[in-house]
Amino acid sequence: MENIKKTTPHRVGIVLANEELDIPALKFFILSMNALQDQFEYEFLPTPDHGELFEELQKIEDVDREAVRSYVPNFLVDFPKWLEKLEDGYNLPHPRPDQWIIVSEACFSDNFYNMRENHVSVIALGNWQRSMAPPSLFEFIQTLIVRESIAGVCPALRGSVHLGTRGCICDFTAYLEDTRLKVLSGFICHSCEQALAASSRPTLATTVRYILNKKWVGNLSDPTSTTSVLAKLRYNLFLSTGLKPTFLESTINLLQTEGVKALVTLFGAVALAGLLFFFGLKSGGS
Ligand SMILES: [Zn+2]
């Protein structure tokens, strides 16, 4: 991206609230954005095993968004302290990001899917359903992280910006299912672009468009592309929908990446296991 000036990146610390989200392919996909541009720099930080904010977000039942908001002040004190102890154990320095984004599988009781308080954002994916694909859940998460990052650097775009659905990343959408259009569009509208142009990061709209159009993911014919690496991590960006691929998605992915031979081997193993099971039952009954 030649037209993007070198700049100090806005550092974003991402914490995954639920262990189900701790997926190498997802982390790789998000961190791939670091090499594409120099406006945002993402890093994953470990999930603490305590703290009222995380305990709330890990609840199976619906979560009160305002309760989550009320836990943010303590999070901003306790979490860095907890990280500091970890860092001291390894003689590491204590660098802190400019913004925190907590990605969770929580369901907010008001059906909203995000919460911003101070420089902390919480993304709640509990209302995501496979029927919302395409786009994949990975793409949802990527777009929502970029949207929160924009809110972190541009005060004018911090709140809800426009009610009209433009396919813009800053579209106001109350419900997660309504965000599909902005995830699929990878667009930023003229008024939001002007707001970014007037901010401390005037070239950010170009960066955001580039990140969101996802041409950079490449294709499976290039073994070094992001798509190929994701496929090797068992996530096919063009097939997979949820956090983990279904059996059918895995089978097609295997076929595309490893070829027919691997598929025959897989089904051969399944057939052999079936035969062994069948004859095992036969011999057991005689
Ligand atoms: Zn807009």
Side-chain angles (χ1 to χ4, degrees):
M1 295 192 66
E2 295 170 7
N3 54 345
I4 291 181
K5 292 176 187 171
K6 201 74 184 156
T7 184
T8 304
H10 175 77
R11 291 185 46 228
V12 180
I14 303 173
V15 187
L16 302 170
N18 307 88
E19 62 180 23
E20 292 81 7
L21 292 163
D22 192 0
I23 301 169
L26 175 61
K27 288 179 167 176
F28 172 75
F29 183 50
I30 298 303
L31 295 180
S32 293
M33 294 192 286
N34 285 346
L36 301 173
Q37 44 79 46
D38 56 12
Q39 300 272 333
F40 298 129
E41 189 172 282
Y42 297 101
E43 61 187 289
F44 284 92
L45 290 149
T47 308
D49 54 8
H50 64 284
E52 53 197 356
L53 177 61
F54 290 94
E55 285 167 11
E56 190 74 17
L57 293 174
Q58 288 163 1
K59 283 182 179 173
I60 295 171
E61 61 266 31
D62 287 357
V63 170
D64 182 352
R65 199 159 61 106
E66 294 311 310
V68 170
R69 190 188 305 281
S70 73
Y71 297 142
V72 167
N74 282 348
F75 163 81
L76 287 170
V77 174
D78 297 340
F79 188 60
K81 278 186 190 169
W82 181 74
L83 288 177
E84 201 171 308
K85 282 184 184 170
L86 286 182
E87 288 160 340
D88 286 346
Y90 297 107
N91 290 320
L92 292 169
H94 308 146
R96 293 293 169 256
D98 304 300
Q99 178 183 4
W100 300 98
I101 299 179
I102 301 167
V103 183
S104 78
E105 292 187 297
C107 276
F108 286 148
S109 52
D110 58 7
N111 287 323
F112 275 67
Y113 59 86
N114 68 342
M115 188 284 301
R116 294 179 197 131
E117 179 68 19
N118 204 337
H119 52 286
V120 177
S121 295
V122 174
I123 296 172
L125 297 164
N127 286 317
W128 185 87
Q129 295 172 10
R130 214 172 272 277
S131 60
M132 294 180 194
S136 66
L137 185 51
F138 275 27
E139 292 169 283
F140 264 97
I141 294 171
Q142 183 222 18
T143 299
L144 296 179
I145 284 175
V146 174
R147 173 63 185 98
E148 296 308 314
S149 307
I150 291 172
V153 295
C154 184
L157 298 178
R158 183 169 168 78
S160 302
V161 185
H162 45 76
L163 183 66
T165 301
R166 305 173 185 175
C168 170
I169 188 171
C170 296
D171 278 357
F172 169 76
T173 51
Y175 307 114
L176 194 60
E177 61 183 330
D178 297 332
T179 66
R180 290 178 75 181
L181 279 177
K182 65 179 176 184
V183 179
L184 289 168
S185 301
F187 172 67
I188 187 157
C189 75
H190 181 64
S191 59
C192 292
E193 181 173 8
Q194 285 189 316
L196 286 176
S199 74
S200 60
R201 293 177 181 268
T203 61
L204 190 54
T206 308
T207 301
V208 169
R209 280 201 191 94
Y210 182 74
I211 292 174
L212 296 182
N213 73 23
K214 289 189 279 292
K215 287 178 182 166
W216 51 270
V217 301
N219 53 59
L220 290 172
S221 64
D222 175 5
T224 64
S225 69
T226 303
T227 295
S228 289
V229 176
L230 283 171
K232 286 170 194 160
L233 292 170
R234 301 294 178 226
Y235 198 90
N236 189 318
L237 206 52
F238 303 115
L239 279 174
S240 304
T241 49
L243 285 178
K244 292 178 181 170
T246 62
F247 178 73
L248 181 62
E249 290 167 357
S250 295
T251 304
I252 297 173
N253 181 45
L254 192 65
L255 186 61
Q256 288 185 341
T257 55
E258 306 291 335
V260 177
K261 189 179 170 186
L263 196 63
V264 169
T265 304
L266 172 69
F267 279 110
V270 172
L272 182 62
L275 281 172
L276 289 172
F277 180 72
F278 176 75
F279 285 115
L281 283 180
K282 282 272 187 187
S283 61
S286 60

